[in-house]
Amino acid sequence: MARSEHVVIRSACGALIAMLLLYLVTNFAATAVNLINPDITPPESTMIWVAMNLLPTALGALLICGVLAAGLSSASTFLSLVGFSVSHDVLGSAARSEDAGSTSADHSTQRLGAARWSMLAVGLSVIALALLLPRNIFWLTHFAGPLFASSWGAVAFMSIWSHRLTAAGAFWGIAAGFAVNVGMNALAL
């Protein structure tokens, strides 16, 4: 956790500069690779093609390891967040209303079990979706990124900057952002 809001803002500025530089390098690299071979299919495997065909073996292996590490790290983080959110926010509210008379140890054991089962359910549903949905990462992220930003973005900012935000207001803010984004995408289609 950050010590103060100043540390958070300073860290965010550093992260913003680093991301701008990374995007700049990535765009130049993508342009250069497109000039070398414009027929790479699927386009999501461009970095793998570069690692296997353009770079020396050691550097290519390092690049592939970096791509895999980034993917696994992001996937495990997001799956953990979704699983724990399901177990705490969805299942936890139901368990709190039912377990008013149970002891603290029983309650902790039940919540741990609920967290484990919800993580398993979320993991299996993600595997099923990954196998069933078409493998076009660009359009999936093009839809999912703005969907999460519109659903959670305003609530995330208001939870930091406003002391008047309530749980009901957060819920309806998330629901409204989700509905507006899905509605606009449906109209665009």
Side-chain angles (χ1 to χ4, degrees), residues 67-158:
V67 168
L68 287 174
L72 289 173
S73 171
S74 297
S76 66
T77 300
F78 289 128
L79 284 175
S80 294
L81 287 173
V82 169
F84 286 125
S85 293
V86 167
S87 68
H88 182 267
D89 297 336
V90 176
L91 300 176
S93 62
R96 282 191 291 273
S97 63
E98 292 174 1
D99 296 336
S102 64
T103 64
S104 176
D106 291 338
H107 184 65
S108 297
T109 304
Q110 289 173 350
R111 291 195 58 157
L112 180 62
R116 288 178 178 165
W117 282 108
S118 65
M119 290 290 290
L120 179 65
V122 167
L124 291 175
S125 64
V126 167
I127 289 172
L129 286 173
L131 292 174
L132 294 175
L133 292 177
R135 288 174 172 78
N136 195 341
I137 300 297
F138 174 75
W139 290 109
L140 185 63
T141 57
H142 185 71
F143 174 73
L147 180 70
F148 284 118
S150 65
S151 298
W152 293 93
V155 175
F157 281 116
M158 292 307 292

Side-chain angles (χ1 to χ4, degrees), residues 23-57:
Y23 274 116
L24 185 67
V25 169
T26 304
N27 286 330
F28 282 132
T31 303
V33 171
N34 192 30
L35 290 174
I36 294 168
N37 184 2
D39 298 324
I40 298 173
T41 53
E44 292 87 14
S45 65
T46 300
M47 294 304 283
I48 305 299
W49 184 88
V50 167
M52 294 176 67
N53 297 311
L54 295 180
L55 295 176
T57 305

